[in-house]
Amino acid sequence: MEGALDLLVSITSIATLGQYAWSMRAHFQSPTMPPGAMIVSAVVIGVALFFLAILWIERQPVAAKIGGLAIELASSVLFWWAIAISRKARLRFAFDADNPDSLVTDGPYFYIRHPFYASYIIFWIGWGIATWSIWAVVPVAGIVVIYTIAALDEERKFSRTALAGAYGAYRARAGLFWPRLRRDRRSRRMRA
Protein backbone atom coordinates (compact mmCIF):
# COMPACT_ATOMS: atom_id res chain seq x y z
CA MET A 1 0.00 0.00 0.00
CA GLU A 2 2.86 2.38 0.77
CA GLY A 3 4.32 2.04 -2.72
CA ALA A 4 0.90 2.67 -4.25
CA LEU A 5 0.45 5.81 -2.15
CA ASP A 6 3.96 7.01 -3.05
CA LEU A 7 3.08 6.50 -6.71
CA LEU A 8 -0.27 8.29 -6.33
CA VAL A 9 1.34 11.29 -4.58
CA SER A 10 4.11 11.38 -7.20
CA ILE A 11 1.71 11.23 -10.15
CA THR A 12 -0.63 13.81 -8.63
CA SER A 13 2.27 16.16 -7.85
CA ILE A 14 3.79 15.86 -11.31
CA ALA A 15 0.37 16.30 -12.93
CA THR A 16 -0.21 19.42 -10.83
CA LEU A 17 3.12 20.84 -11.95
CA GLY A 18 2.11 19.93 -15.51
CA GLN A 19 -1.07 21.99 -15.24
CA TYR A 20 1.00 24.93 -13.99
CA ALA A 21 3.35 24.53 -16.97
CA TRP A 22 0.34 24.37 -19.32
CA SER A 23 -0.96 27.65 -17.90
CA MET A 24 2.32 29.39 -18.71
CA ARG A 25 1.73 28.80 -22.42
CA ALA A 26 -2.04 28.72 -22.67
CA HIS A 27 -3.33 31.16 -20.05
CA PHE A 28 -0.82 33.86 -19.15
CA GLN A 29 -0.15 36.53 -21.75
CA SER A 30 3.40 37.83 -21.27
CA PRO A 31 5.27 38.28 -24.57
CA THR A 32 8.43 36.74 -23.06
CA MET A 33 9.22 34.91 -19.87
CA PRO A 34 10.69 37.40 -17.37
CA PRO A 35 13.95 36.46 -15.60
CA GLY A 36 12.08 36.26 -12.27
CA ALA A 37 9.66 33.72 -13.72
CA MET A 38 12.60 31.70 -15.03
CA ILE A 39 14.06 31.64 -11.52
CA VAL A 40 10.71 30.50 -10.12
CA SER A 41 10.61 27.71 -12.73
CA ALA A 42 14.12 26.56 -11.80
CA VAL A 43 13.22 26.55 -8.10
CA VAL A 44 10.05 24.57 -8.83
CA ILE A 45 11.99 21.92 -10.76
CA GLY A 46 14.64 21.66 -8.04
CA VAL A 47 12.15 21.40 -5.19
CA ALA A 48 10.03 18.89 -7.12
CA LEU A 49 13.04 16.61 -7.62
CA PHE A 50 13.97 17.02 -3.95
CA PHE A 51 10.43 16.15 -2.79
CA LEU A 52 10.26 13.14 -5.12
CA ALA A 53 13.54 11.87 -3.68
CA ILE A 54 12.34 12.30 -0.09
CA LEU A 55 9.03 10.65 -0.91
CA TRP A 56 10.68 7.55 -2.36
CA ILE A 57 13.72 7.30 -0.05
CA GLU A 58 12.12 8.03 3.33
CA ARG A 59 9.10 6.41 4.93
CA GLN A 60 6.10 8.61 5.67
CA PRO A 61 2.98 7.91 7.71
CA VAL A 62 0.01 6.93 5.55
CA ALA A 63 -2.00 9.78 7.11
CA ALA A 64 0.64 12.31 5.97
CA LYS A 65 0.50 11.04 2.40
CA ILE A 66 -3.29 11.04 2.30
CA GLY A 67 -3.52 14.45 3.99
CA GLY A 68 -0.88 15.93 1.69
CA LEU A 69 -2.65 14.47 -1.34
CA ALA A 70 -5.98 15.98 -0.25
CA ILE A 71 -4.33 19.39 0.17
CA GLU A 72 -2.74 19.10 -3.29
CA LEU A 73 -6.13 18.29 -4.82
CA ALA A 74 -7.68 21.30 -3.04
CA SER A 75 -4.97 23.49 -4.59
CA SER A 76 -5.95 22.22 -8.04
CA VAL A 77 -9.59 23.14 -7.43
CA LEU A 78 -8.55 26.70 -6.58
CA PHE A 79 -6.18 26.82 -9.58
CA TRP A 80 -8.83 25.73 -12.11
CA TRP A 81 -11.44 28.03 -10.57
CA ALA A 82 -9.02 30.94 -11.05
CA ILE A 83 -8.33 29.80 -14.64
CA ALA A 84 -12.06 29.66 -15.43
CA ILE A 85 -12.74 33.12 -14.01
CA SER A 86 -9.71 34.91 -15.45
CA ARG A 87 -9.79 33.48 -18.99
CA LYS A 88 -10.73 36.78 -20.62
CA ALA A 89 -8.34 38.89 -18.54
CA ARG A 90 -4.85 39.41 -19.87
CA LEU A 91 -2.91 38.12 -16.87
CA ARG A 92 0.87 38.08 -17.03
CA PHE A 93 3.67 35.92 -15.66
CA ALA A 94 5.09 36.52 -12.23
CA PHE A 95 7.67 39.32 -12.28
CA ASP A 96 6.54 40.64 -15.69
CA ALA A 97 7.83 44.20 -16.17
CA ASP A 98 4.55 45.46 -17.67
CA ASN A 99 1.84 47.00 -15.51
CA PRO A 100 -1.48 45.16 -15.25
CA ASP A 101 -4.29 46.37 -17.49
CA SER A 102 -7.23 44.44 -16.04
CA LEU A 103 -8.65 43.68 -12.62
CA VAL A 104 -10.50 40.44 -11.89
CA THR A 105 -12.70 40.46 -8.79
CA ASP A 106 -15.09 37.52 -9.33
CA GLY A 107 -14.87 33.87 -8.34
CA PRO A 108 -11.88 33.17 -6.09
CA TYR A 109 -10.71 36.74 -6.68
CA PHE A 110 -13.73 37.90 -4.69
CA TYR A 111 -12.09 36.41 -1.59
CA ILE A 112 -8.36 36.61 -2.32
CA ARG A 113 -6.31 38.87 -4.56
CA HIS A 114 -3.85 36.22 -5.72
CA PRO A 115 -5.60 32.86 -6.10
CA PHE A 116 -2.94 31.48 -8.44
CA TYR A 117 -0.15 32.13 -5.95
CA ALA A 118 -2.37 30.84 -3.14
CA SER A 119 -2.98 27.62 -5.08
CA TYR A 120 0.75 27.19 -5.65
CA ILE A 121 1.49 27.74 -1.95
CA ILE A 122 -1.24 25.30 -0.91
CA PHE A 123 0.15 22.72 -3.35
CA TRP A 124 3.68 22.97 -1.96
CA ILE A 125 2.42 22.77 1.61
CA GLY A 126 0.49 19.63 0.67
CA TRP A 127 3.48 18.01 -1.01
CA GLY A 128 5.67 19.00 1.93
CA ILE A 129 3.23 17.31 4.31
CA ALA A 130 3.18 14.20 2.12
CA THR A 131 6.99 13.95 2.40
CA TRP A 132 6.68 14.19 6.19
CA SER A 133 10.20 15.55 6.42
CA ILE A 134 11.57 18.43 8.42
CA TRP A 135 13.72 19.10 5.33
CA ALA A 136 10.57 20.10 3.42
CA VAL A 137 10.06 23.16 5.63
CA VAL A 138 12.93 25.17 4.11
CA PRO A 139 11.91 24.84 0.44
CA VAL A 140 8.23 25.45 1.25
CA ALA A 141 9.15 28.57 3.24
CA GLY A 142 11.34 29.73 0.34
CA ILE A 143 8.52 29.22 -2.13
CA VAL A 144 6.12 31.16 0.11
CA VAL A 145 8.63 34.02 0.19
CA ILE A 146 9.02 33.97 -3.61
CA TYR A 147 5.26 34.08 -4.24
CA THR A 148 4.78 36.77 -1.60
CA ILE A 149 7.42 38.92 -3.29
CA ALA A 150 5.73 38.33 -6.67
CA ALA A 151 2.29 39.25 -5.29
CA LEU A 152 3.54 42.42 -3.60
CA ASP A 153 5.36 43.39 -6.81
CA GLU A 154 2.09 43.08 -8.73
CA GLU A 155 0.30 45.15 -6.12
CA ARG A 156 2.87 47.96 -6.48
CA LYS A 157 2.31 47.86 -10.25
CA PHE A 158 -1.44 48.34 -9.78
CA SER A 159 -0.71 51.56 -7.87
CA ARG A 160 0.91 52.99 -11.04
CA THR A 161 -2.12 52.38 -13.28
CA ALA A 162 -5.56 53.84 -13.86
CA LEU A 163 -6.83 50.86 -11.83
CA ALA A 164 -5.15 52.14 -8.63
CA GLY A 165 -8.37 53.41 -7.00
CA ALA A 166 -10.39 50.30 -7.82
CA TYR A 167 -7.51 48.10 -6.69
CA GLY A 168 -7.26 49.99 -3.39
CA ALA A 169 -10.93 49.34 -2.66
CA TYR A 170 -10.54 45.71 -3.72
CA ARG A 171 -7.46 45.34 -1.53
CA ALA A 172 -9.41 46.61 1.48
CA ARG A 173 -11.97 43.80 1.17
CA ALA A 174 -10.05 40.79 -0.22
CA GLY A 175 -7.13 39.01 1.48
CA LEU A 176 -3.71 38.56 -0.11
CA PHE A 177 -3.66 34.73 -0.15
CA TRP A 178 -6.33 33.88 2.42
CA PRO A 179 -9.85 35.34 2.73
CA ARG A 180 -10.26 38.16 5.24
CA LEU A 181 -12.30 37.44 8.30
CA ARG A 182 -15.18 39.87 8.33
CA ARG A 183 -16.71 41.15 11.49
CA ASP A 184 -20.35 42.07 11.50
CA ARG A 185 -20.46 45.74 12.57
CA ARG A 186 -24.02 45.40 13.76
CA SER A 187 -23.16 42.60 16.18
CA ARG A 188 -20.25 44.64 17.58
CA ARG A 189 -22.57 47.60 18.19
CA MET A 190 -25.09 45.36 19.92
CA ARG A 191 -22.44 44.13 22.38
CA ALA A 192 -21.34 47.67 23.26
Side-chain angles (χ1 to χ4, degrees), residues 39-78:
I39 291 169
V40 171
S41 295
V43 168
V44 163
I45 291 167
V47 174
L49 292 172
F50 179 65
F51 280 7
L52 283 169
I54 291 173
L55 189 65
W56 285 95
I57 293 170
E58 301 289 325
R59 291 181 57 107
Q60 301 84 18
V62 170
K65 292 178 195 178
I66 292 171
L69 187 60
I71 292 168
E72 286 186 34
L73 293 173
S75 78
S76 287
V77 169
L78 178 57

Side-chain angles (χ1 to χ4, degrees), residues 127-146:
W127 201 357
I129 289 170
T131 68
W132 203 249
S133 172
I134 192 70
W135 295 107
V137 172
V138 172
V140 169
I143 285 172
V144 169
V145 168
I146 289 169

Side-chain angles (χ1 to χ4, degrees), residues 87-129:
R87 248 187 219 291
K88 292 182 182 171
R90 295 186 51 215
L91 302 180
R92 294 183 171 80
F93 286 133
F95 301 109
D96 191 306
D98 292 338
N99 289 328
D101 56 9
S102 62
L103 177 59
V104 181
T105 59
D106 296 329
Y109 289 91
F110 182 81
Y111 304 100
I112 55 178
R113 299 188 305 272
H114 301 280
F116 284 109
Y117 296 143
S119 73
Y120 306 155
I121 290 168
I122 293 166
F123 164 74
W124 288 109
I125 289 170
W127 201 357
I129 289 170

